[in-house]
């Protein structure tokens, strides 16, 4: 696992076309934005993958540490 430190507004690039942006940091909570091609399914890890339909893709995830 690669662990990176980022400040609000900073981005991480994965490959050529996936970007993770730190939107907001508040206490132990961070809000991130994910820019990815439509064929990439993005799902929160706590959700079963079979319960998410492609039209319900998650574009902004909130993670609580």
């Amino acid at each position: 696992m690669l662990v990176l430190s980022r400040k609000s507004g900073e981005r991480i690039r994965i490959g050529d076309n996936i970007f993770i942006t730190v939107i907001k940091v508040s206490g132990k909570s961070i809000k991130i934005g994910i820019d990815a091609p439509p064929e990439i399914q993005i799902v929160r890890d706590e959700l079963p993958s079979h319960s998410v339909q492609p039209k319900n893709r998650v574009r902004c995830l909130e993670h609580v540490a």
Side-chain angles (χ1 to χ4, degrees):
M1 176 189 303
L2 174 64
V3 178
L4 300 171
S5 296
R6 299 280 80 195
K7 296 177 183 174
S8 186
E10 294 182 332
R11 292 168 47 139
I12 298 168
R13 178 192 305 244
I14 301 172
D16 292 333
N17 55 2
I18 299 174
F19 296 91
I20 311 295
T21 305
V22 178
I23 305 296
K24 182 179 178 182
V25 178
S26 178
K28 292 185 176 185
S29 177
I30 63 169
K31 188 175 281 190
I32 62 171
I34 302 170
D35 290 317
E39 65 270 12
I40 302 295
Q41 185 176 12
I42 302 169
V43 181
R44 294 183 311 197
D45 193 45
E46 68 271 14
L47 298 177
S49 60
H50 65 276
S51 70
V52 178
Q53 301 298 320
K55 65 181 179 180
N56 294 332
R57 295 181 65 225
V58 176
R59 287 307 227 168
C60 189
L61 303 176
E62 190 164 350
H63 171 74
V64 178

